Amino acid sequence: MNVAPGKTEISSIPFDQTRVDRLMEEAGVDVLLATSKHNTQYLLGGYKFIFFSAMDAIGHSRYLPIVLYEKGGPEHAAYIGNKMEGGEHQNHPFWTPTLHAACWGTLDAANLAVEHLQKIGKGAARIGIEPGFLPSDAYTLIRKALPDAKLVDATGMLETMRAIKTEAELEQLRIASELITDSMLATIVWAREGTTKADIIEQLRREETNRGAHFEYCLLTLGSSHNRAASSQAWKKGEVLSIDSGGNYHGYIGDLCRMGVLGEPDAELEDLLAEVETVQQAAFSKVRAGTLGGDVIAHAGSVLKASKVAPYTDFFVHGMGLITHEAPFLMTNHPVAYEGTYASKPLEKNMVLSVETTMLHPTRGFIKLEDTVAVTDTGYVMFGDRGRGWNRGGA
């Protein structure tokens, strides 16, 4: 399907055009050529093709969605997708004036992108690409077909684009967090003595799916073990359980951790979880628009350093949205490999953070809280703010 280019009403563009145009100018990009699922979803206003939601491979190649957006020229925008996406357009038209729902692999998609760029007179432009999400065969084709173009790494620009959430995005993240929290708490109550890790993870998958979330993973520990992989290990009376799950709602991630215990928590367990909570609250106390990201890290870090559990406890903050680690990036290689480029920048309203404190206690096990907060002008709002104490299993 090829819908001829035409003028687009600015009100139909599903993102802040002025801000995106400014970010493109700052990054030295004339035209975006977005190829990752998360960035094409963002630029299309939340759309993601369900047929390839779980995998990309088909035949000898793979699905490669492409959104082309010219700075200041939304009338030249195009979406290049799979042949079956013509039906999606019939039911819910894409905002881009040009649509090519015609591809079955990477090379036909790249060819159509080249043809469109040449058609709109941008064959020699500064084209912003995503190197980590552009297959080598497609890159080679574009490089050869457009020898005068400058291919610019637009990864950072696109990350910045997504860093500040719209109200609609915040609502998706809130719902995702609520669904994950409800699912984890229900799973803890369901599990009982003798229930295995594999069984608990499968039950969580069912709980999340039944609530309308898309299950992605569950990292689970029982007892004194720090191993979070699925196994036949069974829950025993008096043991702790940590359940850390990521799932999404319409593409937006919920990522939280809650604690369970089979029986009543003893005084030591209450004390240990209180130490984790103290670090979490220290981080929350600094979260507000205008605070330097690094100040949040430093303050919580200083509180943890003074704690008796510091030798075996870690603190971490990362951005949340369409992917589990996105802007703002506040810490360097801790543990995910990226630079903490936002540590020296102020937090902005509607940024979303995951705050997590993890204790690897030598005898009592894996004790952790992970919470999702959205930055406001005066502080923060927490999503899924329930079950942050000891939750009883087998109730």
Side-chain angles (χ1 to χ4, degrees):
M1 178 182 294
N2 182 5
V3 181
K7 289 291 182 180
T8 297
E9 295 295 330
I10 297 300
S11 61
S12 70
I13 299 173
F15 52 83
D16 184 341
Q17 184 195 352
T18 300
R19 182 167 179 270
V20 171
D21 287 349
R22 174 177 58 78
L23 293 174
M24 291 175 67
E25 178 64 27
E26 293 171 356
V29 172
D30 299 316
V31 185
L32 282 174
L33 193 152
T35 49
S36 65
K37 283 183 177 178
H38 50 280
N39 282 319
T40 55
Q41 179 179 352
Y42 184 91
L43 292 167
L44 291 175
Y47 167 79
K48 183 168 65 175
F49 187 28
I50 189 172
F51 188 84
F52 292 102
S53 63
M55 50 81 186
D56 295 329
I58 189 164
H60 295 300
S61 190
R62 55 156 288 181
Y63 175 59
L64 184 65
I66 300 176
V67 172
L68 292 161
Y69 172 75
E70 179 187 350
K71 179 182 64 184
E75 66 275 11
H76 292 154
Y79 176 52
I80 298 167
N82 180 265
K83 190 172 184 179
M84 292 184 287
E85 290 181 85
E88 302 285 333
H89 178 70
Q90 290 174 0
N91 294 339
H92 304 285
F94 299 108
W95 77 267
T96 57
T98 297
L99 168 66
H100 294 285
C103 304
W104 285 107
T106 56
L107 296 181
D108 46 358
N111 264 316
L112 287 170
V114 167
E115 291 176 8
H116 185 79
L117 289 166
Q118 291 171 330
K119 188 172 183 178
I120 64 174
K122 295 296 178 180
R126 298 172 298 177
I127 302 170
I129 64 170
E130 299 183 76
F133 297 92
L134 183 60
S136 61
D137 57 355
Y139 174 87
T140 300
L141 186 153
I142 293 169
R143 181 71 283 169
K144 289 182 178 179
L146 302 175
D148 297 324
K150 181 180 181 181
L151 301 186
V152 179
D153 185 348
T155 303
M157 175 258 139
L158 290 164
E159 289 168 343
T160 302
M161 173 187 73
R162 302 194 323 271
I164 299 174
K165 273 57 179 179
T166 65
E167 293 302 320
E169 289 182 289
L170 290 177
E171 180 63 7
Q172 302 284 58
L173 285 162
R174 184 193 68 78
I175 293 172
S177 300
E178 298 289 337
L179 296 177
I180 300 305
T181 300
D182 288 345
S183 298
M184 292 193 297
L185 298 182
T187 299
I188 293 172
V189 170
W190 170 87
R192 55 201 66 246
E193 188 170 12
T195 307
T196 69
K197 290 176 72 176
D199 289 338
I200 295 170
I201 292 170
E202 174 59 20
Q203 181 64 23
L204 179 66
R205 184 193 66 77
R206 293 191 188 104
E207 294 284 354
E208 292 184 6
T209 301
N210 289 342
R211 285 173 169 81
H214 180 80
F215 175 81
E216 294 197 350
Y217 63 85
C218 175
L219 304 174
L220 185 75
T221 69
L222 296 177
S224 61
S225 174
H226 300 156
N227 185 312
R228 299 205 285 171
S231 74
S232 60
Q233 180 187 357
W235 205 6
K236 298 177 182 178
K237 197 72 174 176
E239 287 186 338
V240 304
L241 169 154
S242 74
I243 187 165
D244 185 336
S245 181
N248 76 65
Y249 181 76
H250 294 188
Y252 286 85
I253 304 295
D255 181 17
L256 303 102
C257 185
R258 295 293 182 259
M259 297 300 303
V261 61
L262 196 54
E264 291 298 319
D266 57 37
E268 183 182 34
L269 288 179
E270 294 281 16
D271 182 55
L272 292 174
L273 190 57
E275 293 287 341
V276 170
E277 172 70 347
T278 296
V279 179
Q280 291 289 98
Q281 292 297 331
F284 300 153
S285 72
K286 294 296 182 180
V287 174
R288 66 178 55 83
T291 299
L292 293 182
D295 289 349
V296 176
I297 306 302
H299 180 61
S302 67
V303 171
L304 174 57
K305 186 177 180 180
S307 171
K308 62 186 178 183
V309 302
Y312 41 82
T313 303
D314 183 61
F315 170 74
F316 182 49
V317 179
H318 58 87
M320 288 284 296
L322 284 167
I323 61 177
T324 54
H325 286 257
E326 64 176 40
F329 302 108
L330 302 180
M331 303 177 76
T332 297
N333 299 333
H334 190 102
V336 182
Y338 50 69
E339 296 296 316
T341 51
Y342 279 74
S344 59
K345 300 177 183 179
L347 297 176
E348 298 184 59
K349 180 182 178 182
N350 289 7
M351 285 182 169
V352 177
L353 308 174
S354 175
V355 181
E356 48 186 293
T357 302
T358 304
M359 181 191 303
L360 302 182
H361 194 275
T363 60
R364 303 312 299 265
F366 196 101
I367 300 175
K368 174 180 179 178
L369 289 175
E370 182 174 9
D371 300 292
T372 298
V373 298
V375 180
T376 68
D377 286 329
T378 57
Y380 65 93
V381 59
M382 187 182 294
F383 300 150
D385 184 15
R386 295 183 306 288
R388 302 183 68 259
W390 286 107
N391 301 284
R392 279 63 169 177

